[in-house]
Amino acid sequence: MYSIPVMGTWGDEPWDNDAGADWFATFFRGIDVDERIEFALDSDDFQEVRAACYVLAVLGRVYVWPGDFSRLARSLEKAIALLKSAEDEDYEDIKEQISKERRALEERRMSIHD
């Protein structure tokens, strides 16, 4: 049985506590996530772009993202623009999913204070 401490806890998400936030920092040690995301967003392969967008949507949050928050904000904005552009392209079979992914990025962007 796990005990959940009250001190060092500021929310109910897995990263909203000292131990969880520290775990994410350790997990990402040695990985330049900002660089990897920027590289993927510049890819000519749309599926690689979508994979990077997923990482941004899921991990692009305070106490999880190990990179620079201003770079994170710029990456989120770029990812949103890329998905919005893709919604106007020939991706009819996945257009609804792309829209859902874009909305998730927009929500994540609103939660980042740069």
Side-chain angles (χ1 to χ4, degrees), residues 10-103:
W10 49 87
D12 57 0
E13 298 294 345
W15 49 84
D16 288 341
N17 58 78
D18 290 334
D22 289 347
W23 183 88
F24 280 105
T26 301
F27 179 78
F28 286 111
R29 188 172 292 137
I31 301 172
D32 188 340
V33 293
D34 291 315
E35 182 178 298
R36 287 186 184 196
I37 291 294
E38 288 172 12
F39 184 79
L41 292 178
D42 288 336
S43 175
D44 291 334
D45 184 337
F46 180 61
Q47 297 308 335
E48 190 172 318
V49 170
R50 283 183 69 207
C53 289
Y54 175 80
V55 169
L56 285 168
V58 173
L59 299 176
R61 55 182 78 238
V62 177
Y63 305 119
V64 174
W65 194 256
D68 178 270
F69 283 118
S70 62
R71 286 177 75 181
L72 171 61
R74 287 192 305 271
S75 290
L76 284 164
E77 290 166 4
K78 184 174 184 173
I80 291 165
L82 288 168
L83 291 184
K84 185 156 184 58
S85 175
E87 288 176 90
D88 299 331
E89 296 291 324
D90 244 354
Y91 295 105
E92 200 59 44
D93 54 330
I94 58 171
K95 187 174 186 171
E96 187 175 318
Q97 182 62 30
I98 292 170
S99 294
K100 181 179 173 183
E101 293 164 6
R102 179 187 46 80
R103 288 189 302 273

